[in-house]
Coordinates of all heavy atoms in Angstrom, one line a residue:
M1 N -78.9 -129.3 10.0 CA -78.9 -129.6 8.6 C -79.1 -131.1 8.4 O -79.7 -131.5 7.4 CB -77.5 -129.3 8.0 CG -77.2 -127.8 8.0 SD -77.7 -127.0 6.5 CE -76.9 -127.9 5.2
I2 N -78.6 -131.9 9.3 CA -78.8 -133.4 9.2 C -80.3 -133.8 9.3 O -80.8 -134.7 8.6 CB -78.0 -134.2 10.2 CG1 -76.5 -134.0 9.8 CG2 -78.3 -135.7 10.1 CD1 -75.5 -134.7 10.7
V3 N -81.1 -133.1 10.1 CA -82.5 -133.3 10.3 C -83.2 -133.1 8.9 O -84.1 -133.8 8.6 CB -83.1 -132.4 11.4 CG1 -84.6 -132.6 11.4 CG2 -82.5 -132.8 12.7
L4 N -82.7 -132.1 8.2 CA -83.3 -131.8 6.9 C -82.6 -132.5 5.7 O -82.7 -132.0 4.6 CB -83.4 -130.3 6.7 CG -84.3 -129.6 7.6 CD1 -84.1 -128.1 7.5 CD2 -85.7 -129.9 7.5
A5 N -81.8 -133.5 6.0 CA -81.0 -134.1 4.9 C -81.8 -134.6 3.7 O -81.4 -134.4 2.6 CB -80.1 -135.2 5.5
V6 N -82.9 -135.3 4.0 CA -83.7 -135.9 2.9 C -84.3 -134.8 2.0 O -84.2 -134.8 0.8 CB -84.7 -136.9 3.4 CG1 -85.6 -137.4 2.3 CG2 -84.0 -138.1 4.1
P7 N -85.0 -133.8 2.6 CA -85.6 -132.8 1.8 C -84.6 -132.0 1.0 O -84.8 -131.6 -0.1 CB -86.4 -131.9 2.8 CG -86.6 -132.7 4.0 CD -85.5 -133.7 4.0
L8 N -83.4 -131.7 1.7 CA -82.4 -130.9 1.0 C -81.8 -131.7 -0.1 O -81.5 -131.2 -1.2 CB -81.3 -130.5 2.0 CG -81.7 -129.4 3.0 CD1 -80.6 -129.2 4.0 CD2 -81.9 -128.1 2.3
Y9 N -81.6 -133.0 0.1 CA -81.1 -133.9 -1.0 C -82.0 -133.8 -2.2 O -81.6 -133.7 -3.3 CB -80.9 -135.3 -0.4 CG -80.8 -136.3 -1.5 CD1 -79.6 -136.6 -2.2 CD2 -81.9 -137.1 -1.9 CE1 -79.5 -137.5 -3.2 CE2 -81.9 -138.0 -2.9 CZ -80.7 -138.2 -3.6 OH -80.6 -139.2 -4.6
D10 N -83.3 -134.0 -1.9 CA -84.3 -134.0 -2.9 C -84.3 -132.7 -3.7 O -84.4 -132.6 -4.9 CB -85.7 -134.3 -2.3 CG -86.7 -134.7 -3.4 OD1 -86.3 -135.4 -4.4 OD2 -87.9 -134.4 -3.2
L11 N -84.3 -131.6 -3.0 CA -84.3 -130.2 -3.6 C -83.1 -130.0 -4.5 O -83.2 -129.6 -5.6 CB -84.2 -129.1 -2.5 CG -84.0 -127.7 -3.0 CD1 -85.3 -127.2 -3.6 CD2 -83.6 -126.8 -1.8
I12 N -81.9 -130.4 -4.0 CA -80.7 -130.2 -4.8 C -80.6 -131.1 -6.0 O -80.3 -130.7 -7.1 CB -79.4 -130.5 -3.9 CG1 -79.3 -129.3 -2.9 CG2 -78.2 -130.5 -4.7 CD1 -78.3 -129.6 -1.7
V13 N -81.0 -132.4 -5.8 CA -81.0 -133.3 -7.0 C -82.0 -132.9 -8.0 O -81.7 -132.9 -9.2 CB -81.1 -134.8 -6.5 CG1 -81.3 -135.7 -7.6 CG2 -79.9 -135.2 -5.7
V14 N -83.2 -132.6 -7.6 CA -84.3 -132.3 -8.6 C -83.9 -131.0 -9.3 O -84.1 -130.9 -10.5 CB -85.6 -132.2 -7.9 CG1 -86.7 -131.6 -8.8 CG2 -86.1 -133.6 -7.4
S15 N -83.4 -130.0 -8.6 CA -83.0 -128.8 -9.2 C -81.9 -129.0 -10.3 O -81.9 -128.5 -11.3 CB -82.5 -127.8 -8.2 OG -83.6 -127.4 -7.4
A16 N -80.9 -129.9 -9.9 CA -79.8 -130.2 -10.8 C -80.3 -130.9 -12.1 O -79.9 -130.6 -13.2 CB -78.8 -131.0 -10.1
I17 N -81.3 -131.8 -11.9 CA -81.8 -132.6 -13.0 C -82.5 -131.6 -13.9 O -82.4 -131.6 -15.2 CB -82.8 -133.7 -12.5 CG1 -82.0 -134.8 -11.9 CG2 -83.6 -134.2 -13.7 CD1 -82.9 -135.9 -11.2
R18 N -83.4 -130.7 -13.4 CA -84.1 -129.8 -14.2 C -83.2 -128.8 -14.9 O -83.4 -128.5 -16.1 CB -85.1 -129.0 -13.3 CG -86.2 -129.8 -12.8 CD -87.1 -129.1 -11.8 NE -88.1 -129.9 -11.2 CZ -88.9 -129.6 -10.2 NH1 -88.7 -128.4 -9.6 NH2 -89.8 -130.4 -9.7
L19 N -82.2 -128.3 -14.2 CA -81.3 -127.4 -14.9 C -80.4 -128.1 -15.9 O -80.2 -127.5 -17.0 CB -80.3 -126.7 -13.8 CG -81.0 -125.7 -12.9 CD1 -80.1 -125.3 -11.8 CD2 -81.5 -124.5 -13.7
G20 N -80.1 -129.3 -15.7 CA -79.3 -130.1 -16.6 C -80.1 -130.4 -17.9 O -79.6 -130.5 -19.0
R21 N -81.4 -130.4 -17.8 CA -82.3 -130.6 -19.0 C -82.7 -129.3 -19.6 O -83.6 -129.3 -20.5 CB -83.5 -131.4 -18.6 CG -83.2 -132.9 -18.2 CD -84.4 -133.7 -17.8 NE -84.0 -135.0 -17.5 CZ -84.8 -135.9 -16.9 NH1 -86.0 -135.6 -16.6 NH2 -84.4 -137.1 -16.6
G22 N -82.3 -128.2 -19.0 CA -82.6 -126.9 -19.6 C -84.0 -126.4 -19.2 O -84.6 -125.5 -19.8
K23 N -84.5 -127.0 -18.1 CA -85.9 -126.6 -17.6 C -85.7 -125.7 -16.4 O -84.7 -125.6 -15.7 CB -86.7 -127.8 -17.3 CG -87.0 -128.7 -18.5 CD -87.9 -129.8 -18.1 CE -88.1 -130.7 -19.3 NZ -89.0 -131.9 -18.9
S24 N -86.8 -125.0 -16.1 CA -86.8 -124.1 -14.9 C -86.9 -125.0 -13.7 O -87.7 -126.0 -13.6 CB -88.0 -123.2 -15.0 OG -88.2 -122.5 -13.7
P25 N -86.1 -124.7 -12.6 CA -86.2 -125.5 -11.4 C -87.5 -125.2 -10.6 O -87.7 -125.9 -9.6 CB -84.9 -125.0 -10.6 CG -84.6 -123.7 -11.2 CD -85.0 -123.7 -12.6
F26 N -88.2 -124.2 -11.1 CA -89.5 -123.9 -10.4 C -90.7 -124.5 -11.0 O -91.8 -124.3 -10.5 CB -89.6 -122.4 -10.3 CG -88.4 -121.7 -9.7 CD1 -87.6 -120.9 -10.4 CD2 -88.2 -121.9 -8.3 CE1 -86.5 -120.4 -9.8 CE2 -87.1 -121.3 -7.7 CZ -86.2 -120.5 -8.5
V27 N -90.6 -125.3 -12.0 CA -91.7 -125.9 -12.7 C -91.7 -127.4 -12.2 O -90.7 -128.1 -12.3 CB -91.6 -125.9 -14.2 CG1 -92.7 -126.6 -14.9 CG2 -91.6 -124.4 -14.7
G28 N -92.9 -127.9 -11.7 CA -93.0 -129.2 -11.2 C -92.8 -130.3 -12.2 O -93.1 -130.1 -13.4
D29 N -92.3 -131.4 -11.8 CA -92.2 -132.6 -12.6 C -92.2 -133.9 -11.7 O -92.5 -133.8 -10.5 CB -91.0 -132.6 -13.6 CG -89.7 -132.4 -12.8 OD1 -89.7 -132.7 -11.6 OD2 -88.7 -132.1 -13.4
T30 N -91.8 -135.0 -12.3 CA -91.8 -136.2 -11.5 C -90.4 -136.7 -11.3 O -90.1 -137.9 -11.3 CB -92.7 -137.3 -12.2 OG1 -92.1 -137.5 -13.5 CG2 -94.1 -137.0 -12.3
N31 N -89.5 -135.8 -11.0 CA -88.1 -136.2 -10.7 C -87.8 -136.3 -9.2 O -86.6 -136.5 -8.9 CB -87.1 -135.2 -11.4 CG -87.1 -135.4 -12.9 OD1 -87.1 -136.6 -13.4 ND2 -87.1 -134.3 -13.6
H32 N -88.8 -136.2 -8.4 CA -88.5 -136.2 -7.0 C -88.2 -137.7 -6.6 O -88.5 -138.6 -7.3 CB -89.7 -135.7 -6.2 CG -89.9 -134.3 -6.2 ND1 -89.1 -133.4 -5.5 CD2 -90.7 -133.5 -7.0 CE1 -89.5 -132.2 -5.8 NE2 -90.4 -132.2 -6.7
F33 N -87.5 -137.8 -5.4 CA -87.0 -139.1 -4.9 C -88.1 -140.1 -4.9 O -88.0 -141.2 -5.4 CB -86.5 -138.9 -3.5 CG -85.7 -140.0 -2.9 CD1 -85.0 -140.9 -3.8 CD2 -85.6 -140.2 -1.6 CE1 -84.3 -141.9 -3.2 CE2 -84.9 -141.2 -1.0 CZ -84.2 -142.1 -1.8
S34 N -89.3 -139.8 -4.4 CA -90.4 -140.8 -4.3 C -90.9 -141.2 -5.7 O -91.1 -142.4 -5.9 CB -91.6 -140.2 -3.5 OG -92.0 -139.0 -4.2
H35 N -90.9 -140.3 -6.6 CA -91.4 -140.6 -8.0 C -90.3 -141.5 -8.7 O -90.7 -142.4 -9.4 CB -91.5 -139.3 -8.8 CG -92.6 -138.4 -8.4 ND1 -94.0 -138.7 -8.6 CD2 -92.6 -137.3 -7.7 CE1 -94.7 -137.7 -8.0 NE2 -93.9 -136.8 -7.5
R36 N -89.1 -141.2 -8.5 CA -88.0 -142.1 -9.1 C -88.0 -143.5 -8.5 O -87.7 -144.4 -9.2 CB -86.6 -141.4 -8.9 CG -86.5 -140.2 -9.8 CD -85.2 -139.5 -9.8 NE -85.1 -138.8 -8.5 CZ -84.0 -138.7 -7.8 NH1 -82.9 -139.4 -8.1 NH2 -84.0 -138.0 -6.7
L37 N -88.3 -143.6 -7.2 CA -88.4 -144.9 -6.6 C -89.6 -145.7 -7.2 O -89.4 -146.9 -7.5 CB -88.6 -144.8 -5.1 CG -87.4 -144.3 -4.3 CD1 -87.8 -144.2 -2.8 CD2 -86.2 -145.3 -4.4
V38 N -90.7 -145.1 -7.4 CA -91.9 -145.7 -8.0 C -91.5 -146.1 -9.5 O -91.9 -147.2 -10.0 CB -93.1 -144.8 -8.0 CG1 -94.3 -145.4 -8.8 CG2 -93.5 -144.7 -6.5
A39 N -90.8 -145.2 -10.2 CA -90.5 -145.5 -11.6 C -89.5 -146.7 -11.7 O -89.5 -147.4 -12.7 CB -89.8 -144.3 -12.2
R40 N -88.8 -147.0 -10.6 CA -87.8 -148.1 -10.6 C -88.5 -149.4 -10.2 O -87.9 -150.4 -10.1 CB -86.7 -147.8 -9.7 CG -85.7 -146.8 -10.2 CD -84.6 -146.6 -9.3 NE -83.6 -145.7 -9.8 CZ -82.4 -146.0 -10.2 NH1 -82.0 -147.3 -10.1 NH2 -81.6 -145.1 -10.7
G41 N -89.8 -149.4 -10.0 CA -90.6 -150.6 -9.7 C -91.2 -150.7 -8.3 O -91.8 -151.7 -8.1
M42 N -90.9 -149.8 -7.4 CA -91.5 -149.9 -6.1 C -92.9 -149.5 -6.1 O -93.3 -148.7 -7.0 CB -90.8 -149.0 -5.1 CG -89.4 -149.4 -4.7 SD -88.8 -148.3 -3.4 CE -87.3 -149.0 -2.9
S43 N -93.7 -150.1 -5.3 CA -95.1 -149.6 -5.1 C -95.0 -148.2 -4.4 O -94.0 -147.9 -3.8 CB -95.9 -150.6 -4.3 OG -95.5 -150.6 -3.0
R44 N -96.1 -147.5 -4.5 CA -96.1 -146.2 -3.8 C -95.9 -146.4 -2.3 O -95.2 -145.6 -1.6 CB -97.4 -145.4 -4.0 CG -97.5 -144.9 -5.5 CD -98.8 -144.2 -5.7 NE -98.9 -144.0 -7.1 CZ -99.4 -142.8 -7.6 NH1 -99.9 -141.9 -6.8 NH2 -99.4 -142.6 -8.9
R45 N -96.5 -147.4 -1.7 CA -96.4 -147.7 -0.3 C -95.0 -148.0 0.1 O -94.5 -147.5 1.1 CB -97.3 -148.8 0.1 CG -97.3 -149.3 1.5 CD -98.2 -150.5 1.8 NE -98.0 -151.0 3.1 CZ -98.6 -150.7 4.2 NH1 -99.5 -149.7 4.1 NH2 -98.3 -151.2 5.3
T46 N -94.3 -148.8 -0.7 CA -92.9 -149.2 -0.4 C -92.0 -148.0 -0.6 O -91.1 -147.8 0.2 CB -92.5 -150.3 -1.4 OG1 -93.4 -151.4 -1.3 CG2 -91.1 -150.8 -1.1
A47 N -92.3 -147.1 -1.6 CA -91.5 -145.9 -1.7 C -91.6 -145.0 -0.5 O -90.6 -144.4 0.0 CB -91.9 -145.2 -3.0
V48 N -92.8 -144.8 0.0 CA -93.0 -144.0 1.2 C -92.3 -144.6 2.4 O -91.7 -143.9 3.2 CB -94.5 -143.8 1.4 CG1 -94.8 -143.2 2.8 CG2 -95.2 -143.0 0.3
L49 N -92.4 -145.9 2.5 CA -91.8 -146.6 3.6 C -90.2 -146.4 3.5 O -89.5 -146.3 4.5 CB -92.1 -148.1 3.7 CG -93.6 -148.3 4.1 CD1 -93.9 -149.8 4.0 CD2 -93.9 -147.8 5.5
C50 N -89.7 -146.5 2.3 CA -88.3 -146.3 2.1 C -87.9 -144.8 2.5 O -86.9 -144.6 3.2 CB -87.9 -146.5 0.6 SG -86.2 -146.3 0.3
L51 N -88.7 -143.9 2.2 CA -88.4 -142.5 2.6 C -88.5 -142.3 4.1 O -87.7 -141.6 4.7 CB -89.4 -141.5 1.9 CG -89.2 -141.2 0.4 CD1 -90.3 -140.4 -0.2 CD2 -87.9 -140.5 0.3
Y52 N -89.4 -143.0 4.7 CA -89.5 -143.0 6.2 C -88.3 -143.6 6.8 O -87.7 -143.0 7.8 CB -90.7 -143.8 6.7 CG -92.1 -143.1 6.5 CD1 -93.2 -143.8 6.6 CD2 -92.2 -141.7 6.3 CE1 -94.5 -143.2 6.5 CE2 -93.4 -141.1 6.2 CZ -94.6 -141.9 6.3 OH -95.8 -141.3 6.2
L53 N -87.8 -144.7 6.2 CA -86.6 -145.3 6.8 C -85.4 -144.4 6.6 O -84.6 -144.3 7.6 CB -86.4 -146.6 6.1 CG -85.1 -147.4 6.5 CD1 -85.3 -147.9 8.0 CD2 -85.0 -148.7 5.6
V54 N -85.2 -143.8 5.4 CA -84.1 -142.9 5.2 C -84.2 -141.7 6.1 O -83.2 -141.3 6.7 CB -84.0 -142.5 3.7 CG1 -83.0 -141.4 3.5 CG2 -83.7 -143.7 2.9
S55 N -85.3 -141.2 6.3 CA -85.5 -140.0 7.2 C -85.3 -140.4 8.6 O -84.7 -139.6 9.4 CB -87.0 -139.5 7.1 OG -87.2 -139.0 5.8
A56 N -85.7 -141.6 9.0 CA -85.4 -142.0 10.4 C -83.9 -142.2 10.7 O -83.4 -141.8 11.7 CB -86.2 -143.3 10.7
A57 N -83.2 -142.8 9.7 CA -81.8 -143.0 9.8 C -81.0 -141.7 10.0 O -80.1 -141.5 10.8 CB -81.3 -143.8 8.7
T58 N -81.4 -140.7 9.2 CA -80.8 -139.4 9.3 C -81.2 -138.6 10.6 O -80.4 -137.9 11.1 CB -81.0 -138.5 8.0 OG1 -82.4 -138.3 7.9 CG2 -80.4 -139.1 6.8
A59 N -82.4 -138.9 11.0 CA -82.9 -138.3 12.3 C -82.1 -138.8 13.4 O -81.7 -138.1 14.4 CB -84.4 -138.5 12.5
V60 N -81.9 -140.1 13.4 CA -81.1 -140.7 14.5 C -79.7 -140.1 14.5 O -79.1 -139.8 15.6 CB -81.0 -142.3 14.4 CG1 -80.0 -142.9 15.3 CG2 -82.4 -142.9 14.6
A61 N -79.1 -139.9 13.4 CA -77.8 -139.3 13.3 C -77.8 -137.9 13.8 O -76.9 -137.5 14.6 CB -77.3 -139.3 11.8
A62 N -78.8 -137.2 13.5 CA -78.9 -135.8 14.1 C -79.1 -135.8 15.6 O -78.6 -134.9 16.3 CB -80.1 -135.1 13.4
I63 N -79.8 -136.8 16.1 CA -80.0 -136.9 17.6 C -78.7 -137.2 18.3 O -78.4 -136.6 19.4 CB -81.1 -137.9 17.9 CG1 -82.5 -137.3 17.4 CG2 -81.2 -138.2 19.4 CD1 -83.6 -138.3 17.4
I64 N -77.9 -138.1 17.7 CA -76.7 -138.5 18.5 C -75.5 -137.6 18.2 O -74.6 -137.7 18.9 CB -76.4 -140.0 18.2 CG1 -76.0 -140.2 16.7 CG2 -77.5 -140.9 18.6 CD1 -75.5 -141.6 16.4
L65 N -75.6 -136.8 17.2 CA -74.4 -136.0 16.8 C -74.0 -135.1 18.0 O -72.8 -135.0 18.2 CB -74.7 -135.2 15.6 CG -73.6 -134.3 15.0 CD1 -72.4 -135.2 14.7 CD2 -74.0 -133.6 13.8
P66 N -74.9 -134.4 18.7 CA -74.4 -133.5 19.8 C -73.7 -134.3 20.9 O -72.9 -133.7 21.7 CB -75.7 -132.9 20.3 CG -76.7 -133.1 19.3 CD -76.3 -134.3 18.5
Y67 N -73.9 -135.6 21.0 CA -73.2 -136.4 22.0 C -72.0 -137.1 21.5 O -71.5 -138.0 22.3 CB -74.3 -137.4 22.6 CG -75.5 -136.8 23.1 CD1 -76.7 -136.8 22.4 CD2 -75.5 -136.1 24.3 CE1 -77.8 -136.2 22.9 CE2 -76.6 -135.5 24.8 CZ -77.8 -135.5 24.1 OH -78.9 -134.9 24.6
A68 N -71.5 -136.8 20.4 CA -70.3 -137.4 19.8 C -69.1 -137.0 20.7 O -68.9 -135.8 21.0 CB -70.0 -136.9 18.4
P69 N -68.4 -138.0 21.2 CA -67.3 -137.7 22.2 C -66.1 -137.0 21.6 O -65.4 -136.3 22.3 CB -66.9 -139.1 22.6 CG -67.3 -140.0 21.6 CD -68.5 -139.4 20.9
N70 N -65.9 -137.0 20.2 CA -64.8 -136.3 19.6 C -65.1 -136.0 18.2 O -66.1 -136.4 17.6 CB -63.5 -137.1 19.8 CG -63.6 -138.5 19.2 OD1 -64.1 -138.7 18.1 ND2 -63.1 -139.5 19.9
T71 N -64.2 -135.3 17.5 CA -64.5 -134.8 16.2 C -64.5 -136.0 15.2 O -65.3 -136.0 14.2 CB -63.3 -133.8 15.7 OG1 -63.3 -132.8 16.7 CG2 -63.6 -133.3 14.4
F72 N -63.7 -137.0 15.4 CA -63.7 -138.2 14.5 C -65.0 -138.9 14.5 O -65.5 -139.2 13.4 CB -62.6 -139.2 15.0 CG -62.5 -140.4 14.1 CD1 -62.0 -140.3 12.8 CD2 -63.0 -141.6 14.6 CE1 -62.0 -141.4 12.0 CE2 -62.9 -142.7 13.8 CZ -62.4 -142.6 12.5
V73 N -65.7 -139.0 15.6 CA -67.0 -139.7 15.7 C -68.0 -138.8 15.0 O -68.9 -139.3 14.3 CB -67.4 -140.0 17.1 CG1 -68.8 -140.5 17.2 CG2 -66.4 -141.0 17.8
A74 N -67.9 -137.5 15.2 CA -68.8 -136.5 14.5 C -68.7 -136.6 13.0 O -69.7 -136.6 12.3 CB -68.6 -135.1 15.0
I75 N -67.5 -136.7 12.5 CA -67.2 -136.9 11.1 C -67.8 -138.2 10.6 O -68.4 -138.3 9.5 CB -65.7 -136.7 10.8 CG1 -65.3 -135.3 11.0 CG2 -65.4 -137.2 9.3 CD1 -63.8 -135.1 10.9
L76 N -67.7 -139.3 11.4 CA -68.2 -140.6 11.0 C -69.8 -140.5 10.9 O -70.4 -141.1 9.9 CB -67.8 -141.7 12.0 CG -66.4 -142.2 11.9 CD1 -66.1 -143.2 12.9 CD2 -66.1 -142.8 10.5
I77 N -70.4 -139.8 11.8 CA -71.8 -139.7 11.8 C -72.3 -138.9 10.5 O -73.2 -139.2 9.8 CB -72.4 -139.0 13.1 CG1 -72.1 -139.9 14.2 CG2 -73.8 -138.6 12.9 CD1 -72.4 -139.3 15.6
F78 N -71.5 -137.8 10.2 CA -71.8 -137.0 9.0 C -71.6 -137.8 7.8 O -72.4 -137.8 6.8 CB -71.0 -135.8 9.0 CG -71.3 -134.8 7.9 CD1 -72.5 -134.1 7.9 CD2 -70.5 -134.7 6.8 CE1 -72.8 -133.2 6.9 CE2 -70.8 -133.8 5.8 CZ -72.0 -133.1 5.8
A79 N -70.5 -138.6 7.8 CA -70.3 -139.5 6.6 C -71.3 -140.5 6.4 O -71.7 -140.9 5.3 CB -68.9 -140.2 6.7
Q80 N -71.8 -141.1 7.5 CA -72.9 -142.0 7.5 C -74.2 -141.4 6.8 O -74.8 -142.0 6.0 CB -73.3 -142.5 8.9 CG -74.6 -143.3 8.9 CD -75.2 -143.4 10.3 OE1 -74.5 -143.3 11.3 NE2 -76.5 -143.7 10.4
T81 N -74.5 -140.2 7.2 CA -75.6 -139.5 6.6 C -75.4 -139.3 5.1 O -76.3 -139.5 4.3 CB -75.8 -138.1 7.2 OG1 -76.0 -138.3 8.7 CG2 -77.0 -137.4 6.7
L82 N -74.2 -138.9 4.7 CA -73.9 -138.8 3.2 C -74.1 -140.1 2.5 O -74.6 -140.2 1.4 CB -72.5 -138.2 3.0 CG -72.4 -136.7 3.5 CD1 -70.9 -136.3 3.2 CD2 -73.3 -135.8 2.8
L83 N -73.6 -141.2 3.1 CA -73.7 -142.5 2.5 C -75.1 -143.0 2.4 O -75.5 -143.6 1.4 CB -72.8 -143.5 3.3 CG -71.3 -143.4 3.1 CD1 -70.6 -144.3 4.1 CD2 -70.9 -143.6 1.7
I84 N -75.9 -142.7 3.4 CA -77.4 -143.0 3.4 C -78.0 -142.3 2.2 O -78.8 -142.9 1.5 CB -78.1 -142.7 4.7 CG1 -77.6 -143.6 5.8 CG2 -79.6 -142.7 4.5 CD1 -78.1 -143.2 7.2
L85 N -77.7 -141.1 2.0 CA -78.3 -140.3 0.9 C -77.8 -140.8 -0.5 O -78.4 -140.7 -1.5 CB -78.1 -138.8 1.0 CG -78.8 -138.3 2.3 CD1 -78.4 -136.8 2.4 CD2 -80.3 -138.4 2.2
A86 N -76.5 -141.3 -0.5 CA -75.9 -141.7 -1.8 C -76.6 -143.0 -2.2 O -76.8 -143.3 -3.4 CB -74.4 -142.0 -1.6

């Protein structure tokens, strides 16, 4: 699940935005993470690099999670992933 954190986050947030506005979650719009970053003033290139960075950070968490020595460390890794997405 952590490997897919960024696409799942985008799916959930975009669906919530669409449903909150009374629109179908299956009709496309520009509420995706990358579109919102560009709307906030980032260039398209910077927005893509930001997505790469967030994806890389969650991927590192997914790679090290199986090697967590105890439950507390695993919970910290999971919390880090949630904070990155927040």
Side-chain angles (χ1 to χ4, degrees):
M1 294 271 303
I2 292 179
V3 172
L4 296 173
V6 176
L8 287 174
Y9 162 81
D10 196 37
L11 171 74
I12 292 167
V13 170
V14 169
S15 295
I17 290 171
R18 291 176 186 167
L19 290 172
R21 293 181 179 169
K23 296 181 179 180
S24 171
F26 303 110
V27 176
D29 60 13
T30 57
N31 287 318
H32 287 280
F33 192 30
S34 60
H35 296 285
R36 288 183 284 139
L37 290 175
V38 171
R40 288 181 178 249
M42 285 188 177
S43 69
R44 289 180 188 218
R45 178 182 170 89
T46 306
V48 169
L49 291 174
C50 181
L51 284 172
Y52 284 164
L53 179 64
V54 171
S55 296
T58 57
V60 168
I63 291 169
I64 64 172
L65 185 60
Y67 302 104
N70 56 46
T71 306
F72 179 71
V73 174
I75 291 171
L76 285 177
I77 293 169
F78 187 72
Q80 170 199 337
T81 303
L82 293 178
L83 289 171
I84 288 170
L85 295 175

